[in-house]
Amino acid sequence: MRHDSGSPAAWLSYARSDLALARMPATGDVLLESLCFHAQQAAEKSIKAVLIQEGIPFPRIHSIERLIDLLPPTIPRTADLI
């Protein structure tokens, strides 16, 4: 399925792909660092999908912490769920 590259659905598709890569076993030529990178990318793209859905502009950054700070207060943070 093809999505508009700026749509929340497209960002979530890329996030799911990164998450699938992050779940690969670190064996042979697959480095743990590469798996961690894809895990970070999955989280970042998921947050950006929510921001797009909420109509919140965000800068071209890779800081998960800064992106989380942009989320509206109606969306719970992980710390709020514990």
Side-chain angles (χ1 to χ4, degrees):
M1 177 188 307
R2 195 163 168 99
H3 301 288
D4 169 24
S5 63
S7 72
W11 282 88
L12 287 176
S13 290
Y14 286 109
R16 280 189 211 90
S17 177
D18 280 317
L19 184 58
L21 291 168
R23 289 179 169 160
M24 291 181 60
T27 59
D29 291 334
V30 178
L31 300 173
L32 181 60
E33 291 84 352
S34 296
L35 302 178
C36 292
F37 169 78
H38 284 290
Q40 185 277 340
Q41 286 291 293
E44 177 185 331
K45 290 171 185 169
S46 297
I47 296 166
K48 288 179 177 180
V50 173
L51 292 170
I52 291 168
Q53 180 67 33
E54 295 293 319
I56 299 170
F58 54 88
R60 294 187 66 170
I61 59 172
H62 300 288
S63 170
I64 292 174
E65 183 177 13
R66 286 188 54 205
L67 291 169
I68 288 173
D69 288 343
L70 295 173
L71 292 170
T74 55
I75 297 176
R77 303 335 187 242
T78 304
D80 298 337
L81 301 175
I82 298 175

